[in-house]
Amino acid sequence: MNSINKIWLVIFSFLIISSCNNKKSDQIIKKHNSKDYGISKYKKNEEFIGGYYETITDNNNDCSVSISIMELKTGYFYILQTKSRNISGKVRFSTNESGEKYLVLEGIKWDEYKGEISDEEETDSISDSKTAPKELEIPVGIDASYVKDTLTIQNYGNSMNSYTKISECGRKYIQLIRK
């Protein structure tokens, strides 16, 4: 009986040692955590940006814009509403060289784009009258800087870079506050 107890002791010891060294459950957890479920790198390092944002209207009610941002398994999505539009699409995140955080509302075509003056060719109108002027492609996607609970969209440019992103709003900077 003494030898049977020794065998059971060896088997029991082997099971304990092997169960302590079994890292299969850790590997499963690591694999599960390493998957990217469409949530951007931005969200992993920053606070949650989902919610309902809208402009603060004045007495003229000249600028009524709202944006709802929702997080789904495949990423962030938005719904933009103005007096004349109701657009939805995907949100993409970026940061510029100075570290400012931006989100881009993909799929929104700007209302007007005349381009930068530096892009215009310096030509003599008499000698090049046979060539048609180059038609500029209107950009798609509106970027908004993001700080705490405020989104800020630069809505139009200046004489050096003329554009209008949302013509329903006459403000140069559209500030949307999370409600």
Side-chain angles (χ1 to χ4, degrees), residues 101-131:
K101 299 176 280 189
Y102 283 88
L103 55 96
V104 179
L105 307 175
E106 295 182 344
I108 302 173
K109 190 172 185 179
W110 294 11
D111 288 334
E112 182 181 294
Y113 181 66
K114 294 181 182 174
E116 294 181 37
I117 288 205
S118 63
D119 289 345
E120 293 181 6
E121 295 180 23
E122 293 182 31
T123 58
D124 184 5
S125 61
I126 298 172
S127 64
D128 288 340
S129 61
K130 295 175 189 169
T131 60

Side-chain angles (χ1 to χ4, degrees), residues 134-158:
K134 183 178 146 186
E135 182 137 348
L136 293 173
E137 189 174 321
I138 295 179
V140 176
I142 294 179
D143 59 334
S145 66
Y146 178 73
V147 178
K148 293 188 181 182
D149 62 348
T150 304
L151 300 175
T152 304
I153 299 170
Q154 183 172 346
N155 193 33
Y156 60 85
N158 54 29

